Amino acid sequence: SQTIHQWPATLVQPVGSPLSLECTVEGTSNPNLYWYRQAAGRGLQLLFYSVGIGQISSEVPQNLSASRPQDRQFILSSKKLLLSDSGFYLCAWSVTSINEQFFGPGTRLTVL
Amino acid sequence: GQQLNQSPQSMFIQEGEDVSMNCTSSSIFNTWLWYKQDPGEGPVLLIALYKAGELTSNGRLTAQFGITRKDSFLNISASIPSDVGIYFCAGHAKGSNYKLTFGKGTLLTVNP
């Protein structure tokens, strides 16, 4: 069966510090991968998605970036965090031919 | 882009009552998905719908893909305290690549 992992689970970072969140998927090959941010208002905002190694599509211009160095690894990064980057970050995966997306447990980021 | 209107935004019900929530779209969707999110966790897929008019059940949950392809509803029968959480609808429109459009969620509170 497939599983998706995210770490860390929680993170408190000062403004201006760098960020690296990691997501890995097990039990499937060549998945589509997604990064979402969920603010306190509950909505899910798609940040990036990837259909293959090194292929990243950005949905919202911001100071975040994503990379996919391996087939089942997706990384969300920032060089300098802003207060507005606080939120709940969710990674998801899907099979390329099916629209169902499956979410990881999330990372709670607080920028102070 | 596509927009999803999910209603109600929140519901307060007594244990044992039935619940109904729905989503409407400004565009035609070829897939409707319903997710549940517990506090501090990632959303979990409950039901996936792929055909107009399709009615699918998962235990006490029933969801339908509207005939117009622009709406879907989710019913929960005989609610129990563990049904508490945020329920999201999501849809996939033809031509939107691998991206889903999410509703803003329905917060369900069940009083024992």
Side-chain angles (χ1 to χ4, degrees), chain B:
Chain B
Q2 296 89 10
Q3 292 186 351
L4 277 184
N5 293 314
Q6 184 170 352
S7 64
Q9 290 187 353
S10 61
M11 302 182 71
F12 299 85
I13 63 171
Q14 293 296 125
E15 182 177 359
E17 291 183 355
D18 297 343
V19 173
S20 183
M21 58 192 79
N22 69 84
C23 279
T24 58
S25 168
S26 57
S27 304
I28 291 175
F29 282 174
N30 56 26
T31 303
W32 282 98
L33 307 170
W34 284 93
Y35 290 86
K36 183 196 176 193
Q37 185 177 27
D38 291 329
E41 300 182 12
V44 174
L45 181 63
L46 300 173
I47 293 178
L49 303 160
Y50 286 93
K51 296 180 181 179
E54 180 181 357
L55 185 70
T56 298
S57 294
N58 178 5
R60 294 178 295 105
L61 278 61
T62 301
Q64 185 161 27
F65 192 138
I67 292 293
T68 66
R69 306 181 74 91
K70 291 185 177 182
D71 63 331
S72 177
F73 72 75
L74 174 71
N75 286 342
I76 305 173
S77 62
S79 59
I80 59 178
S82 61
D83 290 333
V84 166
I86 302 176
Y87 291 80
F88 291 99
C89 63
H92 179 266
K94 186 178 180 180
S96 62
N97 292 325
Y98 305 102
K99 295 179 288 185
L100 296 177
T101 301
F102 282 85
K104 292 186 182 300
T106 295
L107 175 61
L108 178 63
T109 302
V110 180
N111 296 316

Side-chain angles (χ1 to χ4, degrees), chain A residues 32 38 42 98-101, chain B residues 9 31 35 37 50 98 105:
Chain A
N32 291 336
Q38 185 176 32
R42 303 192 327 223
I98 301 176
N99 297 319
E100 300 168 17
Q101 292 182 17
Chain B
Q9 290 187 353
T31 303
Y35 290 86
Q37 185 177 27
Y50 286 93
Y98 305 102

Side-chain angles (χ1 to χ4, degrees), chain A residues 53-75:
Chain A
I53 296 175
Q55 301 179 59
I56 308 295
S57 295
S58 174
E59 290 296 300
V60 182
Q62 57 210 318
N63 70 323
L64 298 173
S65 62
S67 62
R68 185 170 176 174
Q70 301 181 43
D71 181 45
R72 290 169 289 176
Q73 183 185 31
F74 206 22
I75 297 173

